[in-house]
Amino acid sequence: MNYIDTSGLNHRIEELSTRRKYHFVDQKPAHYKHGRTPTLLCIHGFPDCWYGWRYQIKPWVHRGFRVVVPDMLGYGGTDKPKSPVEYSTKRLCADLAAILDLLEIKKAVLIGHDWGAYTVSRFALWHPNRLLALVILSVPYSPPSLEYISVKTIAKIAPNLSYQAYFEEQRSTQEIESNLNTFLRVIYRNPNPTQRFKISQLYKGPEVLSKIYVPDSDIVLNSQELKFYNKIFEQGMNGPLNYYRSSLYRHEEELVAKLSPNLRQDLPVLFIWGTKDTTTTSSLIHKAHKFIPRLQDFALEEKGHWILVEARDVITEKIAQWLEDLAIEARMTAKVHL
């Protein structure tokens, strides 16, 4: 696995209109034209940061896109509030809209992986007129619910998700911080590990983490990448874990706003997932089609959850080509209506 060169990227730290400071990469193509060059706003998941898009940033810029990649709230160089309420999706989406405002971008393509997939999907509900297109990776769209279902209840219904109930508990912060390298190795395992370990076992806490051995061959990161992530998360895990502690606040905000479960009728949406990713099932994908009229889905055979790394070349090319095809389609439609 080769190390990717991330030097020369344009890093910025800006205070947004939401009064939160965000760190983000803002990379423009050589022939950038404001208002004409499409912008890709790329949102990472857990536990990740801007670096999760390291294999895509420069190739997409080379294809003519402006690529904006923030450290999300609680991560890296971005503000890290202590309270989980600050991490509600409505507030996160307001931050993303504020980034676009700061850059004077009316509409962008939103691309999200893992928690980022959930966030950009909700952005399409909270700010439907700010999107040119939507790309969701690894976590299929789920509509707002009228009934609140707690994380612990979900864990009982689906035991494979019990790790989320552990992340929701405050104790997980210190326990994970004390076993950070092992935790990252467990999370970043490839879909065919030699050492069998169910992530749901994390609920048992430090007694499990302290005994796990995950060899280099079992993870999707090389030594330099693992070192980078260790350095990032040595800053603390409270912010990243707060995403799992915000479910009630998210639900209440969506209920008050009477948020529609349906995405914009004309919004092009692409969903890509790995067939060995246990977070994605055919039933969830089928359900998503009911709420997204223009949804296209694409399976990556034998790939797991970390498709930005596992299938980096396919992901980079597939998304760029899909967006270029959409642009051609839009130009042809415009000519027909002249």
Side-chain angles (χ1 to χ4, degrees), residues 232-266:
I232 287 293
F233 293 110
E234 282 170 1
Q235 298 176 36
M237 288 296 299
N238 188 66
L241 289 166
N242 270 343
Y243 284 70
Y244 293 92
R245 300 163 183 161
S246 65
S247 61
L248 179 59
Y249 308 118
R250 297 197 307 268
H251 174 75
E252 289 175 341
E253 288 174 344
E254 292 175 358
L255 206 61
V256 169
K258 297 180 180 179
L259 212 59
S260 170
N262 301 302
L263 269 64
R264 208 178 74 211
Q265 287 279 330
D266 64 337

PDB file of all heavy atoms in Angstrom, residues 232-266:
ATOM      1  N   ILE A 232      -3.979  12.425  15.361  1.00  0.00           N
ATOM      2  CA  ILE A 232      -5.232  13.207  15.328  1.00  0.00           C
ATOM      3  C   ILE A 232      -6.079  12.927  16.564  1.00  0.00           C
ATOM      4  O   ILE A 232      -6.571  13.848  17.230  1.00  0.00           O
ATOM      5  CB  ILE A 232      -6.036  12.881  14.050  1.00  0.00           C
ATOM      6  CG1 ILE A 232      -5.373  13.507  12.820  1.00  0.00           C
ATOM      7  CG2 ILE A 232      -7.486  13.363  14.167  1.00  0.00           C
ATOM      8  CD1 ILE A 232      -5.396  15.020  12.787  1.00  0.00           C
ATOM      9  N   PHE A 233      -6.246  11.648  16.896  1.00  0.00           N
ATOM     10  CA  PHE A 233      -7.177  11.300  17.968  1.00  0.00           C
ATOM     11  C   PHE A 233      -6.550  11.319  19.357  1.00  0.00           C
ATOM     12  O   PHE A 233      -7.262  11.151  20.355  1.00  0.00           O
ATOM     13  CB  PHE A 233      -7.861   9.970  17.653  1.00  0.00           C
ATOM     14  CG  PHE A 233      -8.779  10.079  16.465  1.00  0.00           C
ATOM     15  CD1 PHE A 233      -8.456   9.466  15.261  1.00  0.00           C
ATOM     16  CD2 PHE A 233      -9.914  10.860  16.532  1.00  0.00           C
ATOM     17  CE1 PHE A 233      -9.276   9.607  14.151  1.00  0.00           C
ATOM     18  CE2 PHE A 233     -10.746  11.008  15.432  1.00  0.00           C
ATOM     19  CZ  PHE A 233     -10.428  10.383  14.236  1.00  0.00           C
ATOM     20  N   GLU A 234      -5.246  11.565  19.417  1.00  0.00           N
ATOM     21  CA  GLU A 234      -4.637  11.854  20.713  1.00  0.00           C
ATOM     22  C   GLU A 234      -5.166  13.179  21.271  1.00  0.00           C
ATOM     23  O   GLU A 234      -5.050  13.452  22.472  1.00  0.00           O
ATOM     24  CB  GLU A 234      -3.111  11.911  20.580  1.00  0.00           C
ATOM     25  CG  GLU A 234      -2.464  10.535  20.511  1.00  0.00           C
ATOM     26  CD  GLU A 234      -0.993  10.597  20.143  1.00  0.00           C
ATOM     27  OE1 GLU A 234      -0.477  11.735  19.958  1.00  0.00           O
ATOM     28  OE2 GLU A 234      -0.363   9.529  20.026  1.00  0.00           O
ATOM     29  N   GLN A 235      -5.789  13.990  20.415  1.00  0.00           N
ATOM     30  CA  GLN A 235      -6.403  15.244  20.854  1.00  0.00           C
ATOM     31  C   GLN A 235      -7.659  14.986  21.697  1.00  0.00           C
ATOM     32  O   GLN A 235      -8.151  15.889  22.366  1.00  0.00           O
ATOM     33  CB  GLN A 235      -6.785  16.102  19.639  1.00  0.00           C
ATOM     34  CG  GLN A 235      -5.619  16.518  18.763  1.00  0.00           C
ATOM     35  CD  GLN A 235      -6.099  17.287  17.535  1.00  0.00           C
ATOM     36  OE1 GLN A 235      -7.057  18.048  17.604  1.00  0.00           O
ATOM     37  NE2 GLN A 235      -5.436  17.081  16.416  1.00  0.00           N
ATOM     38  N   GLY A 236      -8.173  13.781  21.604  1.00  0.00           N
ATOM     39  CA  GLY A 236      -9.363  13.434  22.393  1.00  0.00           C
ATOM     40  C   GLY A 236     -10.448  12.800  21.552  1.00  0.00           C
ATOM     41  O   GLY A 236     -10.579  13.084  20.357  1.00  0.00           O
ATOM     42  N   MET A 237     -11.253  11.933  22.177  1.00  0.00           N
ATOM     43  CA  MET A 237     -12.319  11.206  21.494  1.00  0.00           C
ATOM     44  C   MET A 237     -13.716  11.676  21.882  1.00  0.00           C
ATOM     45  O   MET A 237     -14.700  11.165  21.357  1.00  0.00           O
ATOM     46  CB  MET A 237     -12.193   9.706  21.784  1.00  0.00           C
ATOM     47  CG  MET A 237     -11.029   9.028  21.092  1.00  0.00           C
ATOM     48  SD  MET A 237     -11.172   9.037  19.281  1.00  0.00           S
ATOM     49  CE  MET A 237     -12.689   8.116  19.030  1.00  0.00           C
ATOM     50  N   ASN A 238     -13.810  12.658  22.793  1.00  0.00           N
ATOM     51  CA  ASN A 238     -15.139  13.079  23.233  1.00  0.00           C
ATOM     52  C   ASN A 238     -15.973  13.647  22.089  1.00  0.00           C
ATOM     53  O   ASN A 238     -17.150  13.311  21.943  1.00  0.00           O
ATOM     54  CB  ASN A 238     -15.032  14.112  24.352  1.00  0.00           C
ATOM     55  CG  ASN A 238     -16.380  14.425  24.979  1.00  0.00           C
ATOM     56  OD1 ASN A 238     -16.999  13.570  25.612  1.00  0.00           O
ATOM     57  ND2 ASN A 238     -16.859  15.653  24.787  1.00  0.00           N
ATOM     58  N   GLY A 239     -15.370  14.533  21.283  1.00  0.00           N
ATOM     59  CA  GLY A 239     -16.101  15.125  20.158  1.00  0.00           C
ATOM     60  C   GLY A 239     -16.608  14.081  19.183  1.00  0.00           C
ATOM     61  O   GLY A 239     -17.819  14.026  18.891  1.00  0.00           O
ATOM     62  N   PRO A 240     -15.726  13.216  18.658  1.00  0.00           N
ATOM     63  CA  PRO A 240     -16.193  12.179  17.738  1.00  0.00           C
ATOM     64  C   PRO A 240     -17.289  11.288  18.320  1.00  0.00           C
ATOM     65  O   PRO A 240     -18.256  10.950  17.630  1.00  0.00           O
ATOM     66  CB  PRO A 240     -14.914  11.383  17.461  1.00  0.00           C
ATOM     67  CG  PRO A 240     -13.820  12.395  17.589  1.00  0.00           C
ATOM     68  CD  PRO A 240     -14.255  13.266  18.735  1.00  0.00           C
ATOM     69  N   LEU A 241     -17.152  10.913  19.593  1.00  0.00           N
ATOM     70  CA  LEU A 241     -18.149  10.030  20.205  1.00  0.00           C
ATOM     71  C   LEU A 241     -19.465  10.748  20.490  1.00  0.00           C
ATOM     72  O   LEU A 241     -20.517  10.106  20.619  1.00  0.00           O
ATOM     73  CB  LEU A 241     -17.582   9.428  21.501  1.00  0.00           C
ATOM     74  CG  LEU A 241     -16.478   8.390  21.279  1.00  0.00           C
ATOM     75  CD1 LEU A 241     -15.736   8.106  22.589  1.00  0.00           C
ATOM     76  CD2 LEU A 241     -17.047   7.098  20.700  1.00  0.00           C
ATOM     77  N   ASN A 242     -19.429  12.079  20.565  1.00  0.00           N
ATOM     78  CA  ASN A 242     -20.659  12.840  20.809  1.00  0.00           C
ATOM     79  C   ASN A 242     -21.684  12.675  19.696  1.00  0.00           C
ATOM     80  O   ASN A 242     -22.881  12.913  19.902  1.00  0.00           O
ATOM     81  CB  ASN A 242     -20.345  14.323  21.000  1.00  0.00           C
ATOM     82  CG  ASN A 242     -20.089  14.679  22.461  1.00  0.00           C
ATOM     83  OD1 ASN A 242     -20.444  13.916  23.364  1.00  0.00           O
ATOM     84  ND2 ASN A 242     -19.472  15.819  22.701  1.00  0.00           N
ATOM     85  N   TYR A 243     -21.256  12.281  18.521  1.00  0.00           N
ATOM     86  CA  TYR A 243     -22.210  12.040  17.434  1.00  0.00           C
ATOM     87  C   TYR A 243     -23.181  10.933  17.822  1.00  0.00           C
ATOM     88  O   TYR A 243     -24.360  10.958  17.439  1.00  0.00           O
ATOM     89  CB  TYR A 243     -21.467  11.663  16.152  1.00  0.00           C
ATOM     90  CG  TYR A 243     -20.806  12.846  15.464  1.00  0.00           C
ATOM     91  CD1 TYR A 243     -19.693  13.481  16.019  1.00  0.00           C
ATOM     92  CD2 TYR A 243     -21.302  13.345  14.258  1.00  0.00           C
ATOM     93  CE1 TYR A 243     -19.097  14.567  15.410  1.00  0.00           C
ATOM     94  CE2 TYR A 243     -20.709  14.432  13.631  1.00  0.00           C
ATOM     95  CZ  TYR A 243     -19.610  15.048  14.213  1.00  0.00           C
ATOM     96  OH  TYR A 243     -19.026  16.127  13.605  1.00  0.00           O
ATOM     97  N   TYR A 244     -22.687   9.965  18.585  1.00  0.00           N
ATOM     98  CA  TYR A 244     -23.540   8.858  19.027  1.00  0.00           C
ATOM     99  C   TYR A 244     -24.402   9.250  20.217  1.00  0.00           C
ATOM    100  O   TYR A 244     -25.300   8.501  20.602  1.00  0.00           O
ATOM    101  CB  TYR A 244     -22.663   7.649  19.392  1.00  0.00           C
ATOM    102  CG  TYR A 244     -21.967   7.039  18.197  1.00  0.00           C
ATOM    103  CD1 TYR A 244     -20.694   7.454  17.829  1.00  0.00           C
ATOM    104  CD2 TYR A 244     -22.594   6.074  17.420  1.00  0.00           C
ATOM    105  CE1 TYR A 244     -20.049   6.916  16.727  1.00  0.00           C
ATOM    106  CE2 TYR A 244     -21.966   5.525  16.318  1.00  0.00           C
ATOM    107  CZ  TYR A 244     -20.692   5.951  15.968  1.00  0.00           C
ATOM    108  OH  TYR A 244     -20.072   5.419  14.867  1.00  0.00           O
ATOM    109  N   ARG A 245     -24.127  10.404  20.799  1.00  0.00           N
ATOM    110  CA  ARG A 245     -24.858  10.858  21.985  1.00  0.00           C
ATOM    111  C   ARG A 245     -25.881  11.942  21.663  1.00  0.00           C
ATOM    112  O   ARG A 245     -26.443  12.552  22.567  1.00  0.00           O
ATOM    113  CB  ARG A 245     -23.847  11.376  23.032  1.00  0.00           C
ATOM    114  CG  ARG A 245     -22.846  10.314  23.467  1.00  0.00           C
ATOM    115  CD  ARG A 245     -21.621  10.889  24.146  1.00  0.00           C
ATOM    116  NE  ARG A 245     -20.665   9.830  24.467  1.00  0.00           N
ATOM    117  CZ  ARG A 245     -19.370  10.030  24.722  1.00  0.00           C
ATOM    118  NH1 ARG A 245     -18.874  11.269  24.708  1.00  0.00           N
ATOM    119  NH2 ARG A 245     -18.570   9.015  24.985  1.00  0.00           N
ATOM    120  N   SER A 246     -26.112  12.170  20.385  1.00  0.00           N
ATOM    121  CA  SER A 246     -26.984  13.274  19.970  1.00  0.00           C
ATOM    122  C   SER A 246     -28.310  12.804  19.368  1.00  0.00           C
ATOM    123  O   SER A 246     -29.060  13.613  18.816  1.00  0.00           O
ATOM    124  CB  SER A 246     -26.250  14.150  18.946  1.00  0.00           C
ATOM    125  OG  SER A 246     -25.987  13.431  17.754  1.00  0.00           O
ATOM    126  N   SER A 247     -28.608  11.515  19.466  1.00  0.00           N
ATOM    127  CA  SER A 247     -29.775  10.969  18.759  1.00  0.00           C
ATOM    128  C   SER A 247     -31.096  11.612  19.189  1.00  0.00           C
ATOM    129  O   SER A 247     -31.952  11.908  18.351  1.00  0.00           O
ATOM    130  CB  SER A 247     -29.854   9.453  18.931  1.00  0.00           C
ATOM    131  OG  SER A 247     -29.987   9.111  20.297  1.00  0.00           O
ATOM    132  N   LEU A 248     -31.287  11.839  20.486  1.00  0.00           N
ATOM    133  CA  LEU A 248     -32.533  12.441  20.955  1.00  0.00           C
ATOM    134  C   LEU A 248     -32.659  13.884  20.460  1.00  0.00           C
ATOM    135  O   LEU A 248     -33.742  14.303  20.029  1.00  0.00           O
ATOM    136  CB  LEU A 248     -32.598  12.413  22.490  1.00  0.00           C
ATOM    137  CG  LEU A 248     -33.855  13.033  23.111  1.00  0.00           C
ATOM    138  CD1 LEU A 248     -35.115  12.334  22.610  1.00  0.00           C
ATOM    139  CD2 LEU A 248     -33.780  12.992  24.639  1.00  0.00           C
ATOM    140  N   TYR A 249     -31.562  14.639  20.491  1.00  0.00           N
ATOM    141  CA  TYR A 249     -31.593  16.030  20.012  1.00  0.00           C
ATOM    142  C   TYR A 249     -31.906  16.083  18.518  1.00  0.00           C
ATOM    143  O   TYR A 249     -32.675  16.933  18.066  1.00  0.00           O
ATOM    144  CB  TYR A 249     -30.254  16.712  20.285  1.00  0.00           C
ATOM    145  CG  TYR A 249     -29.797  16.590  21.717  1.00  0.00           C
ATOM    146  CD1 TYR A 249     -28.614  15.924  22.037  1.00  0.00           C
ATOM    147  CD2 TYR A 249     -30.551  17.126  22.755  1.00  0.00           C
ATOM    148  CE1 TYR A 249     -28.198  15.797  23.351  1.00  0.00           C
ATOM    149  CE2 TYR A 249     -30.138  17.008  24.079  1.00  0.00           C
ATOM    150  CZ  TYR A 249     -28.959  16.339  24.372  1.00  0.00           C
ATOM    151  OH  TYR A 249     -28.556  16.212  25.681  1.00  0.00           O
ATOM    152  N   ARG A 250     -31.320  15.161  17.766  1.00  0.00           N
ATOM    153  CA  ARG A 250     -31.598  15.097  16.315  1.00  0.00           C
ATOM    154  C   ARG A 250     -33.080  14.837  16.080  1.00  0.00           C
ATOM    155  O   ARG A 250     -33.720  15.488  15.245  1.00  0.00           O
ATOM    156  CB  ARG A 250     -30.782  13.979  15.657  1.00  0.00           C
ATOM    157  CG  ARG A 250     -29.275  14.158  15.712  1.00  0.00           C
ATOM    158  CD  ARG A 250     -28.576  13.243  14.705  1.00  0.00           C
ATOM    159  NE  ARG A 250     -28.940  11.847  14.811  1.00  0.00           N
ATOM    160  CZ  ARG A 250     -28.297  10.944  15.548  1.00  0.00           C
ATOM    161  NH1 ARG A 250     -27.272  11.302  16.293  1.00  0.00           N
ATOM    162  NH2 ARG A 250     -28.680   9.681  15.561  1.00  0.00           N
ATOM    163  N   HIS A 251     -33.602  13.859  16.804  1.00  0.00           N
ATOM    164  CA  HIS A 251     -35.006  13.477  16.624  1.00  0.00           C
ATOM    165  C   HIS A 251     -35.941  14.636  16.964  1.00  0.00           C
ATOM    166  O   HIS A 251     -36.880  14.922  16.206  1.00  0.00           O
ATOM    167  CB  HIS A 251     -35.332  12.269  17.499  1.00  0.00           C
ATOM    168  CG  HIS A 251     -36.778  11.892  17.478  1.00  0.00           C
ATOM    169  ND1 HIS A 251     -37.369  11.239  16.413  1.00  0.00           N
ATOM    170  CD2 HIS A 251     -37.768  12.118  18.392  1.00  0.00           C
ATOM    171  CE1 HIS A 251     -38.654  11.064  16.665  1.00  0.00           C
ATOM    172  NE2 HIS A 251     -38.924  11.581  17.857  1.00  0.00           N
ATOM    173  N   GLU A 252     -35.689  15.295  18.074  1.00  0.00           N
ATOM    174  CA  GLU A 252     -36.560  16.397  18.509  1.00  0.00           C
ATOM    175  C   GLU A 252     -36.554  17.540  17.505  1.00  0.00           C
ATOM    176  O   GLU A 252     -37.604  18.124  17.210  1.00  0.00           O
ATOM    177  CB  GLU A 252     -36.126  16.887  19.891  1.00  0.00           C
ATOM    178  CG  GLU A 252     -36.436  15.885  21.004  1.00  0.00           C
ATOM    179  CD  GLU A 252     -35.900  16.331  22.353  1.00  0.00           C
ATOM    180  OE1 GLU A 252     -34.999  17.210  22.376  1.00  0.00           O
ATOM    181  OE2 GLU A 252     -36.366  15.795  23.387  1.00  0.00           O
ATOM    182  N   GLU A 253     -35.401  17.879  16.979  1.00  0.00           N
ATOM    183  CA  GLU A 253     -35.306  18.958  15.993  1.00  0.00           C
ATOM    184  C   GLU A 253     -36.054  18.612  14.711  1.00  0.00           C
ATOM    185  O   GLU A 253     -36.755  19.456  14.137  1.00  0.00           O
ATOM    186  CB  GLU A 253     -33.833  19.250  15.674  1.00  0.00           C
ATOM    187  CG  GLU A 253     -33.101  19.952  16.806  1.00  0.00           C
ATOM    188  CD  GLU A 253     -31.618  20.109  16.543  1.00  0.00           C
ATOM    189  OE1 GLU A 253     -31.095  19.424  15.631  1.00  0.00           O
ATOM    190  OE2 GLU A 253     -30.965  20.900  17.247  1.00  0.00           O
ATOM    191  N   GLU A 254     -35.933  17.367  14.275  1.00  0.00           N
ATOM    192  CA  GLU A 254     -36.626  16.949  13.051  1.00  0.00           C
ATOM    193  C   GLU A 254     -38.134  16.912  13.258  1.00  0.00           C
ATOM    194  O   GLU A 254     -38.904  17.253  12.340  1.00  0.00           O
ATOM    195  CB  GLU A 254     -36.104  15.577  12.616  1.00  0.00           C
ATOM    196  CG  GLU A 254     -34.657  15.622  12.142  1.00  0.00           C
ATOM    197  CD  GLU A 254     -34.084  14.262  11.815  1.00  0.00           C
ATOM    198  OE1 GLU A 254     -34.793  13.244  11.985  1.00  0.00           O
ATOM    199  OE2 GLU A 254     -32.917  14.211  11.383  1.00  0.00           O
ATOM    200  N   LEU A 255     -38.543  16.526  14.456  1.00  0.00           N
ATOM    201  CA  LEU A 255     -39.972  16.453  14.768  1.00  0.00           C
ATOM    202  C   LEU A 255     -40.580  17.853  14.784  1.00  0.00           C
ATOM    203  O   LEU A 255     -41.655  18.087  14.211  1.00  0.00           O
ATOM    204  CB  LEU A 255     -40.160  15.767  16.125  1.00  0.00           C
ATOM    205  CG  LEU A 255     -41.495  15.053  16.362  1.00  0.00           C
ATOM    206  CD1 LEU A 255     -41.699  13.933  15.348  1.00  0.00           C
ATOM    207  CD2 LEU A 255     -41.512  14.470  17.782  1.00  0.00           C
ATOM    208  N   VAL A 256     -39.907  18.792  15.427  1.00  0.00           N
ATOM    209  CA  VAL A 256     -40.393  20.170  15.501  1.00  0.00           C
ATOM    210  C   VAL A 256     -40.480  20.790  14.112  1.00  0.00           C
ATOM    211  O   VAL A 256     -41.440  21.497  13.785  1.00  0.00           O
ATOM    212  CB  VAL A 256     -39.470  21.027  16.407  1.00  0.00           C
ATOM    213  CG1 VAL A 256     -39.809  22.506  16.275  1.00  0.00           C
ATOM    214  CG2 VAL A 256     -39.604  20.592  17.861  1.00  0.00           C
ATOM    215  N   ALA A 257     -39.491  20.507  13.277  1.00  0.00           N
ATOM    216  CA  ALA A 257     -39.447  21.076  11.926  1.00  0.00           C
ATOM    217  C   ALA A 257     -40.367  20.345  10.946  1.00  0.00           C
ATOM    218  O   ALA A 257     -40.564  20.809   9.825  1.00  0.00           O
ATOM    219  CB  ALA A 257     -38.019  21.043  11.395  1.00  0.00           C
ATOM    220  N   LYS A 258     -40.930  19.210  11.389  1.00  0.00           N
ATOM    221  CA  LYS A 258     -41.747  18.368  10.506  1.00  0.00           C
ATOM    222  C   LYS A 258     -40.989  18.080   9.210  1.00  0.00           C
ATOM    223  O   LYS A 258     -41.499  18.231   8.103  1.00  0.00           O
ATOM    224  CB  LYS A 258     -43.096  19.037  10.208  1.00  0.00           C
ATOM    225  CG  LYS A 258     -43.957  19.246  11.448  1.00  0.00           C
ATOM    226  CD  LYS A 258     -45.292  19.905  11.113  1.00  0.00           C
ATOM    227  CE  LYS A 258     -46.121  20.107  12.367  1.00  0.00           C
ATOM    228  NZ  LYS A 258     -47.428  20.779  12.088  1.00  0.00           N
ATOM    229  N   LEU A 259     -39.751  17.646   9.400  1.00  0.00           N
ATOM    230  CA  LEU A 259     -38.863  17.400   8.272  1.00  0.00           C
ATOM    231  C   LEU A 259     -39.417  16.308   7.369  1.00  0.00           C
ATOM    232  O   LEU A 259     -39.791  15.234   7.833  1.00  0.00           O
ATOM    233  CB  LEU A 259     -37.480  17.000   8.799  1.00  0.00           C
ATOM    234  CG  LEU A 259     -36.258  17.387   7.984  1.00  0.00           C
ATOM    235  CD1 LEU A 259     -36.174  18.894   7.792  1.00  0.00           C
ATOM    236  CD2 LEU A 259     -34.991  16.870   8.657  1.00  0.00           C
ATOM    237  N   SER A 260     -39.476  16.575   6.095  1.00  0.00           N
ATOM    238  CA  SER A 260     -39.998  15.607   5.135  1.00  0.00           C
ATOM    239  C   SER A 260     -39.050  14.431   4.991  1.00  0.00           C
ATOM    240  O   SER A 260     -37.827  14.601   5.025  1.00  0.00           O
ATOM    241  CB  SER A 260     -40.178  16.270   3.770  1.00  0.00           C
ATOM    242  OG  SER A 260     -40.456  15.299   2.772  1.00  0.00           O
ATOM    243  N   PRO A 261     -39.592  13.227   4.803  1.00  0.00           N
ATOM    244  CA  PRO A 261     -38.715  12.066   4.587  1.00  0.00           C
ATOM    245  C   PRO A 261     -38.210  11.983   3.142  1.00  0.00           C
ATOM    246  O   PRO A 261     -37.294  11.215   2.850  1.00  0.00           O
ATOM    247  CB  PRO A 261     -39.627  10.880   4.915  1.00  0.00           C
ATOM    248  CG  PRO A 261     -40.997  11.372   4.554  1.00  0.00           C
ATOM    249  CD  PRO A 261     -41.000  12.835   4.922  1.00  0.00           C
ATOM    250  N   ASN A 262     -38.825  12.769   2.269  1.00  0.00           N
ATOM    251  CA  ASN A 262     -38.516  12.680   0.841  1.00  0.00           C
ATOM    252  C   ASN A 262     -37.466  13.693   0.412  1.00  0.00           C
ATOM    253  O   ASN A 262     -37.564  14.888   0.733  1.00  0.00           O
ATOM    254  CB  ASN A 262     -39.788  12.910   0.016  1.00  0.00           C
ATOM    255  CG  ASN A 262     -40.865  11.893   0.339  1.00  0.00           C
ATOM    256  OD1 ASN A 262     -40.663  10.693   0.205  1.00  0.00           O
ATOM    257  ND2 ASN A 262     -42.009  12.388   0.798  1.00  0.00           N
ATOM    258  N   LEU A 263     -36.480  13.231  -0.328  1.00  0.00           N
ATOM    259  CA  LEU A 263     -35.494  14.140  -0.889  1.00  0.00           C
ATOM    260  C   LEU A 263     -36.091  14.844  -2.100  1.00  0.00           C
ATOM    261  O   LEU A 263     -37.089  14.385  -2.666  1.00  0.00           O
ATOM    262  CB  LEU A 263     -34.227  13.391  -1.292  1.00  0.00           C
ATOM    263  CG  LEU A 263     -33.143  13.305  -0.198  1.00  0.00           C
ATOM    264  CD1 LEU A 263     -33.639  12.506   0.994  1.00  0.00           C
ATOM    265  CD2 LEU A 263     -31.859  12.694  -0.737  1.00  0.00           C
ATOM    266  N   ARG A 264     -35.481  15.946  -2.468  1.00  0.00           N
ATOM    267  CA  ARG A 264     -35.962  16.756  -3.588  1.00  0.00           C
ATOM    268  C   ARG A 264     -36.170  15.890  -4.834  1.00  0.00           C
ATOM    269  O   ARG A 264     -35.313  15.077  -5.194  1.00  0.00           O
ATOM    270  CB  ARG A 264     -34.928  17.848  -3.889  1.00  0.00           C
ATOM    271  CG  ARG A 264     -35.491  19.105  -4.497  1.00  0.00           C
ATOM    272  CD  ARG A 264     -34.387  20.132  -4.701  1.00  0.00           C
ATOM    273  NE  ARG A 264     -33.525  19.782  -5.825  1.00  0.00           N
ATOM    274  CZ  ARG A 264     -32.234  20.088  -5.906  1.00  0.00           C
ATOM    275  NH1 ARG A 264     -31.631  20.709  -4.899  1.00  0.00           N
ATOM    276  NH2 ARG A 264     -31.542  19.759  -6.970  1.00  0.00           N
ATOM    277  N   GLN A 265     -37.296  16.078  -5.505  1.00  0.00           N
ATOM    278  CA  GLN A 265     -37.681  15.224  -6.626  1.00  0.00           C
ATOM    279  C   GLN A 265     -36.636  15.169  -7.735  1.00  0.00           C
ATOM    280  O   GLN A 265     -36.407  14.125  -8.336  1.00  0.00           O
ATOM    281  CB  GLN A 265     -39.016  15.723  -7.217  1.00  0.00           C
ATOM    282  CG  GLN A 265     -40.228  15.443  -6.360  1.00  0.00           C
ATOM    283  CD  GLN A 265     -40.748  14.022  -6.516  1.00  0.00           C
ATOM    284  OE1 GLN A 265     -40.621  13.416  -7.579  1.00  0.00           O
ATOM    285  NE2 GLN A 265     -41.317  13.471  -5.449  1.00  0.00           N
ATOM    286  N   ASP A 266     -36.008  16.301  -8.025  1.00  0.00           N
ATOM    287  CA  ASP A 266     -35.074  16.368  -9.155  1.00  0.00           C
ATOM    288  C   ASP A 266     -33.616  16.185  -8.751  1.00  0.00           C
ATOM    289  O   ASP A 266     -32.718  16.337  -9.582  1.00  0.00           O
ATOM    290  CB  ASP A 266     -35.220  17.707  -9.884  1.00  0.00           C
ATOM    291  CG  ASP A 266     -34.828  18.898  -9.002  1.00  0.00           C
ATOM    292  OD1 ASP A 266     -34.867  18.751  -7.768  1.00  0.00           O
ATOM    293  OD2 ASP A 266     -34.484  19.956  -9.553  1.00  0.00           O
TER     294      ASP A 266
END
